[in-house]
Amino acid sequence: MGQAFGCYQVDQSNVAIKEHFGKFSDVLEPGCHCLPWCLGYQIAGGLSLRVQQLDVRCETKTKDNVFVTVVASVQYRAVAEKASDAFYRLTNTREQIQSYVFDVIRASVPKLELDSVFEQKNDIAKAVEEELEKAMSTYGFEIVQTLIVDIEPDVNVKRAMNEINAAARLRLAANEKAEAEKILQIKKAEGEAESKYLSGLGIARQRQAIVDGLRDSVLAFSENVPGTTAKDVMDMVLVTQYFDTMKEIGASSKSSSVFIPHGPGAVKDIAVQIRDGLLQASASQTN
């Protein structure tokens, strides 16, 4: 604003309060105005119509006895039509707004627990805005918007909350890990059971094939070589399997040293032992 030679300039988004011999006369809008100061006219002051912001930090206690600092951001502006009220009726607008914010927050937060304060911060902001709008409108101010921009619990409470959250997450991770290990053990046991079952089927089929092969060999040998008995054929089969076993032991690269009796007499002894074992098993079953 500027004043020279009885003229006064009011900047954009501002108004000026004009007085005549100390009494309110008019509200001057933006532009250039004639102000004959020699006739008792003067400018008492100016008022900005721009939106202003006030951040209010209020410490209070929740329902579960936790001290928190609530930061409310109030956006307000003077109403041009009520500029005289805004200029004359309040000495300190910011302190007045701050007092109303303190009053509403300290009446609302103690009714809520800490978690509810975070969840219902919009409701708290709305309550503050309604109270401010009702109170400040009589003084020529409009409340544009009120926001709860921050809720800060006590440092020790915040640390405890973080520890509780961390412990809950660790417990959940341990449960998930244990469940995964349980599933792995179950799957491993199922796999071993299936493997043993299939291995048993394979061994049974192998033995059945050996028995069928021996039977066919005995029958074929008896038919092609007259005068031979089943005993002679079995002795020959044992000798053949004996030499096959010796061949496999010698051909295996991972085999250790094996000491066994070797010679035709050894083959005869093996045949006698197998035959005696079969005869004893048959005798036991008969008795």
Side-chain angles (χ1 to χ4, degrees), residues 20-274:
H20 185 221
F21 291 114
K23 181 181 179 181
F24 170 74
S25 174
D26 194 9
V27 176
L28 302 182
E29 296 182 352
C32 185
H33 301 272
C34 181
L35 191 70
W37 53 269
C38 58
L39 298 180
Y41 291 98
Q42 65 177 356
I43 298 298
L47 191 66
S48 175
L49 301 180
R50 295 178 180 147
V51 176
Q52 302 180 60
Q53 178 168 311
L54 173 63
D55 292 334
V56 181
R57 299 178 63 88
C58 177
E59 185 179 12
T60 184
K61 186 177 70 170
T62 62
K63 186 177 181 180
D64 47 352
N65 296 323
V66 177
F67 283 91
V68 295
T69 300
V70 180
V71 181
S73 180
V74 181
Q75 298 174 357
Y76 66 98
R77 65 184 175 189
V79 181
E81 292 78 8
K82 299 181 178 180
S84 59
D85 292 336
F87 184 80
Y88 287 107
R89 298 189 64 182
L90 283 180
T91 303
N92 193 320
T93 306
R94 299 175 72 87
E95 287 187 1
Q96 184 77 10
I97 293 176
Q98 181 174 317
S99 298
Y100 280 108
V101 172
F102 282 169
D103 182 65
V104 175
I105 289 179
R106 287 174 176 170
S108 301
V109 173
K111 299 178 182 178
L112 304 172
E113 295 184 352
L114 181 59
D115 293 338
S116 299
V117 173
F118 284 94
E119 295 171 358
Q120 301 181 27
K121 70 182 189 69
N122 291 334
D123 296 336
I124 298 174
K126 185 177 180 181
V128 172
E129 182 175 346
E130 290 177 352
E131 184 66 22
L132 284 176
E133 183 68 30
K134 182 173 60 176
M136 299 303 293
S137 62
T138 60
Y139 298 110
F141 285 92
E142 175 190 4
I143 304 301
V144 178
Q145 193 171 17
T146 302
L147 303 172
I148 300 298
V149 296
D150 197 10
I151 299 173
E152 300 177 359
D154 182 75
V155 176
N156 295 328
V157 175
K158 188 184 296 185
R159 185 183 302 112
M161 292 174 63
N162 292 333
E163 291 177 355
I164 293 172
N165 190 19
R169 292 181 180 275
L170 289 175
R171 184 170 62 251
L172 180 61
N175 291 336
E176 294 294 334
K177 183 178 179 181
E179 189 66 23
E181 291 178 353
K182 174 184 175 182
I183 294 174
L184 288 176
Q185 293 294 333
I186 293 175
K187 293 299 181 182
K188 183 178 179 181
E190 291 177 351
E192 290 179 355
E194 185 69 17
S195 176
K196 291 179 180 180
Y197 173 74
L198 296 176
S199 177
L201 289 179
I203 293 174
R205 291 175 181 174
Q206 179 186 16
R207 291 175 178 175
Q208 184 63 39
I210 292 173
V211 171
D212 294 340
L214 290 174
R215 184 181 67 249
D216 295 339
S217 298
V218 171
L219 293 176
F221 197 89
S222 299
E223 292 175 357
N224 295 328
V225 182
T228 58
T229 63
K231 175 181 175 302
D232 298 330
V233 177
M234 289 301 299
D235 290 340
M236 186 188 69
V237 171
L238 287 174
V239 172
T240 303
Q241 291 184 343
Y242 174 79
F243 282 110
D244 289 341
T245 303
M246 295 295 294
K247 180 180 177 181
E248 291 180 1
I249 292 175
S252 177
S253 60
K254 297 182 180 180
S255 62
S256 303
S257 298
V258 180
F259 296 94
I260 57 175
H262 179 62
V267 178
K268 181 179 179 182
D269 293 340
I270 293 173
V272 172
Q273 292 175 13
I274 294 175

